[in-house]
Amino acid sequence: MKKTNADPTVIPDDLLIEILRRLPVKSLCRFRCVSTLWRSLISDPRFLAAHLAHSATRPRLLVTLPVQQVPCPQGRWLFSADHPESGRDRPQIAEPHLLVHGSPGRYVSQSLNGLICLEVGGLIIVCNPSTRKLVTLGQSKARSGRGCSYCRHSFGFDPVGKEHKVFETWVSDSGKPDRGLIMNQFVLTLGSSGWRGIEGGPPHLKHDPEFCFNGVIYYIAWKSLVAIPRVEYLVALDVRTESFRMIVSPSGVQVDMSKRRLLEFEGRVALVDCYNLRSDDEIAIWILEDFDREIWKKKVVVLPPCWKEIVVDHEMFPAGIVRQTGELLFEPWVLSKPMCLFYYNLKTNSFRISEIGGFPECESGMPPEMYGLTFTDHMESLLPPMSHSSKNIANHFPSG
């Protein structure tokens, strides 16, 4: 019987896109080598946006771990793990992405559209952990004055212009009581040619981790290095207009920076204060009701009696919020193996614990705040860390 050659089955492009956008970045990077057609499809800005939109429905946990011990090379490891599903006690295994070589600095931003900004070896690096691509930005080569200067960085995303920006601020004390701080500010838009100066911001020194929400970077800062007591301010840096605004932080918030965290709460900027967590079994949440009128609303949450049974002897401090579930994420004060994280659901007033393994050897018995361990919600993305095509890709992002 004579054989006939049947035409191979062809998957329609729309169905192929629907299948591929559900896959992890690691698989998509390999599938680019299947054919010229697949490479073109996976590299298309519209596909990158569709993949990112799907990733937003299942964010992961990004963990950065500094390495400073011999014989390991210095650097900062980037890992990711799934957030644990409620009702499952199975330990999570962290997936290593890459080691950024160099002396690890203290600055690590939150993940924005799959990109993070961090300081390593005295340089500023923008990185996509999922694709393992990074670019070194360097510094603006400017200082704010003579003597000791402090350099601070911030990383934000403008949902209107679809641009990622890195801000660099140099601050020094003028040495004169009537002048206060001297500050020079610079910004670099990813995909642009380099740093440029910006003006008009009130002099201040950032000292808490930032939080970018709806195109505005928020952080706590001081206006003086010598005033006692130091008054704390909430700074709002608009990523699009590159302008700063400042209001006084809510009175009553404790000065212990390790026990508080800026985050989104019920669609608003909020400051979570866990200073009385161990003694009074409560969390204070300061919600910013009106920035222009400087109105803060305090909400006190009393934890369930079972929470001490779950955390046992762990001292905890807030690490952020899980976007998908709205749970508060707490880090342990002392590193342990396996690493333990705690999830608190405000709606159900319930706690759960997650164990994460797979990390390299690290010095135990130290607070993560001192050690430099960081956690952030993370969406997998194919977005390149810096190129002139980045804005074209970002133009297809959702505005959220």
Side-chain angles (χ1 to χ4, degrees):
M1 184 175 178
K2 187 177 180 180
K3 294 182 180 181
T4 60
N5 294 326
D7 292 333
T9 301
V10 178
I11 302 176
D13 287 349
D14 55 349
L15 178 58
L16 181 61
I17 292 174
E18 186 63 25
I19 295 172
L20 292 178
R21 78 184 186 95
R22 299 172 182 269
L23 298 179
V25 168
K26 187 176 181 179
S27 299
L28 293 174
C29 289
R30 292 199 299 263
F31 289 167
R32 279 174 168 166
C33 302
V34 170
S35 67
T36 302
L37 175 63
W38 279 41
R39 171 177 287 274
S40 175
L41 188 153
I42 294 173
S43 302
D44 188 279
R46 290 167 295 183
F47 175 79
L48 268 63
H51 180 268
L52 181 64
H54 184 263
S55 296
T57 65
R58 47 185 180 87
R60 308 193 78 203
L61 180 69
L62 183 68
V63 184
T64 76
L65 179 70
V67 180
Q68 301 186 19
Q69 297 173 328
V70 178
C72 298
Q74 281 193 334
R76 184 175 284 275
W77 269 109
L78 276 62
F79 295 82
S80 70
D82 291 326
H83 288 294
E85 295 182 16
S86 181
R88 291 193 177 183
D89 298 328
R90 182 183 57 171
Q92 304 293 313
I93 302 299
E95 175 189 354
H97 288 291
L98 76 160
L99 172 64
V100 183
H101 292 277
S103 177
R106 297 203 51 88
Y107 176 68
V108 181
S109 76
Q110 72 188 100
S111 174
L112 297 173
N113 296 319
L115 302 182
I116 68 167
C117 182
L118 64 160
E119 181 182 347
V120 177
L123 300 173
I124 293 300
I125 293 170
V126 175
C127 169
N128 183 326
S130 302
T131 62
R132 303 183 180 184
K133 302 294 184 182
L134 57 85
V135 62
T136 301
L137 305 183
Q139 292 179 334
S140 60
K141 299 181 180 179
R143 288 182 175 269
S144 56
R146 298 178 180 178
C148 181
S149 293
Y150 301 88
C151 185
R152 297 290 188 268
H153 292 93
S154 299
F155 184 52
F157 177 69
D158 168 22
V160 178
K162 311 297 183 183
E163 294 178 322
H164 292 81
K165 295 182 181 181
V166 181
F167 294 84
E168 181 173 284
T169 304
W170 287 91
V171 180
S172 66
D173 197 332
S174 65
K176 299 178 180 180
D178 59 332
R179 290 194 60 189
L181 299 177
I182 299 174
M183 184 172 76
N184 290 326
Q185 305 153 3
F186 302 87
V187 63
L188 186 148
T189 301
L190 297 193
S192 67
S193 58
W195 296 95
R196 53 187 173 80
I198 56 177
E199 298 180 359
H204 62 272
L205 179 62
K206 170 186 174 185
H207 65 77
D208 265 23
E210 83 239 17
F211 163 64
C212 186
F213 174 55
N214 285 345
V216 180
I217 302 172
Y218 297 92
Y219 55 84
I220 304 296
W222 296 314
K223 290 179 67 173
S224 172
L225 300 179
V226 296
I228 299 177
R230 288 180 178 173
V231 179
E232 293 188 322
Y233 295 83
L234 175 69
V235 177
L237 169 54
D238 190 299
V239 180
R240 180 169 177 79
T241 63
E242 300 167 2
S243 59
F244 294 79
R245 292 195 297 163
M246 226 185 231
I247 62 172
V248 177
S249 296
S251 59
V253 175
Q254 298 298 322
V255 297
D256 188 346
M257 292 180 285
S258 65
K259 294 295 184 71
R260 64 191 188 186
R261 175 72 60 165
L262 278 170
L263 45 78
E264 175 193 354
F265 179 74
E266 297 179 349
R268 296 180 182 272
V269 175
L271 182 60
V272 175
D273 182 1
C274 299
Y275 187 79
N276 295 323
L277 184 60
R278 296 291 293 184
S279 61
D280 299 332
D281 299 342
E282 67 180 33
I283 299 172
I285 304 177
W286 296 85
I287 305 168
L288 183 59
E289 295 281 331
D290 192 313
F291 191 100
D292 294 326
R293 298 168 61 191
E294 303 190 23
I295 297 177
W296 295 87
K297 178 183 177 182
K298 183 179 181 180
K299 179 177 182 177
V300 177
V301 179
V302 180
L303 301 185
C306 65
W307 85 271
K308 285 188 176 179
E309 299 175 6
I310 297 175
V311 303
V312 194
D313 295 326
H314 292 281
E315 186 77 16
M316 305 185 306
F317 63 97
I321 195 165
V322 183
R323 282 180 296 219
Q324 192 174 25
T325 63
E327 293 172 294
L328 292 177
L329 178 64
F330 289 89
E331 308 173 53
W333 180 245
V334 176
L335 295 177
S336 61
K337 295 189 66 176
M339 187 181 300
C340 294
L341 294 178
F342 304 92
Y343 292 76
Y344 174 59
N345 191 313
L346 289 159
K347 294 181 179 179
T348 61
N349 197 28
S350 59
F351 256 100
R352 59 193 178 101
I353 186 172
S354 173
E355 294 183 346
I356 304 179
F359 296 106
E361 291 291 333
C362 59
E363 187 175 350
S364 62
M366 288 184 65
E369 174 73 14
M370 294 176 58
Y371 192 73
L373 188 68
T374 70
F375 301 87
T376 179
D377 239 9
H378 175 66
M379 295 185 295
E380 283 204 332
S381 167
L382 289 160
L383 183 67
M386 186 173 180
S387 73
H388 290 286
S389 63
S390 294
K391 184 175 181 180
N392 293 330
I393 296 170
N395 279 334
H396 297 276
F397 287 174
S399 298

